[in-house]
Amino acid sequence: LIQACGGLPEEAMREIALSVLQALDVLHSAEPPVVHGCVKPSQVLFSTSGRPRLTFGLEQRIKTCQVAASHEFPPEGVEQTVVDIFDLGLLLLVSALGGMEVLLD
């Protein structure tokens, strides 16, 4: 979608940012905080009403299950919630510019 449009319109970007931030707020507010760890365009899907939704891919589900089963949490600084915010910023930049190829030129 991003490459086909040559960059998303500002209104679409705002809607995606708001939806992803709301989802991350829920995850990061959990006790202990849940880190998505892979916020990228393929993890943002659109509902039938056109509303963006942040999804968990198989990799995140397996990692979450393994952490929950072992009761081991990553050491401080290894994978914190700030990683998700950085990834969201990169997702929005790539979405605005029309894809990774624009950044690599």
Side-chain angles (χ1 to χ4, degrees), residues 36-98:
H36 186 280
C38 194
V39 177
K40 59 184 180 180
S42 63
Q43 297 298 318
V44 179
L45 302 179
F46 292 86
S47 67
T48 55
S49 65
R51 185 166 162 80
R53 302 282 184 200
L54 181 63
T55 65
F56 271 87
L58 182 59
E59 180 182 343
Q60 288 83 17
R61 290 180 188 186
I62 290 172
K63 186 163 65 171
T64 301
C65 290
Q66 288 172 341
V67 167
S70 68
H71 300 290
E72 293 177 18
F73 297 96
E76 188 173 332
V78 171
E79 198 164 341
Q80 298 178 351
T81 55
V82 294
V83 170
D84 288 340
I85 303 303
F86 178 85
D87 286 350
L88 173 60
L90 187 57
L91 176 140
L92 294 173
L93 177 64
V94 168
S95 298
L97 296 176

